[in-house]
Amino acid sequence: MNKSKRPFTKSKRSFRRRLPPIQSGDRIDYRNMNLISRFISEQGKILSRRVNRVTLKQQRLITIAIKQARILSLLPFLNNQKQFER
């Protein structure tokens, strides 16, 4: 039996690394509407951490900021319209 040392080799494809959605200087705050609106689906739901590609700490801050903005009527709780304006 001739076994190679590495049966599962990684492909040599080059890939472009995705930029993080939140830069180090961005403040996650309920007033920062252009940042918050990136993490909301077209129906008005908060997108998951897997979709957002953010850390757990950032996701918690985003969720709190979205909920505060909804309470202050800056964001809708539901969006049943076909087109979501950002």
Side-chain angles (χ1 to χ4, degrees), residues 24 27 69 72:
S24 59
R27 283 187 51 121
L72 293 170

Side-chain angles (χ1 to χ4, degrees), residues 2-32:
N2 189 3
K3 285 189 176 179
S4 63
K5 289 185 180 179
R6 286 216 242 162
F8 301 108
T9 58
K10 290 185 179 177
S11 64
K12 300 287 181 186
R13 280 188 299 143
S14 65
F15 63 96
R16 192 174 66 107
R17 195 159 176 204
R18 286 184 54 160
L19 293 171
I22 299 175
Q23 309 303 330
S24 59
D26 287 342
R27 283 187 51 121
I28 302 172
D29 199 3
Y30 68 92
R31 289 170 282 172
N32 195 352

Side-chain angles (χ1 to χ4, degrees), residues 39-53:
F39 303 107
I40 298 176
S41 70
E42 291 184 4
Q43 291 86 28
K45 295 180 181 179
I46 301 171
L47 293 173
S48 69
R49 190 177 149 224
R50 223 171 11 119
V51 175
N52 289 340
R53 303 261 179 139

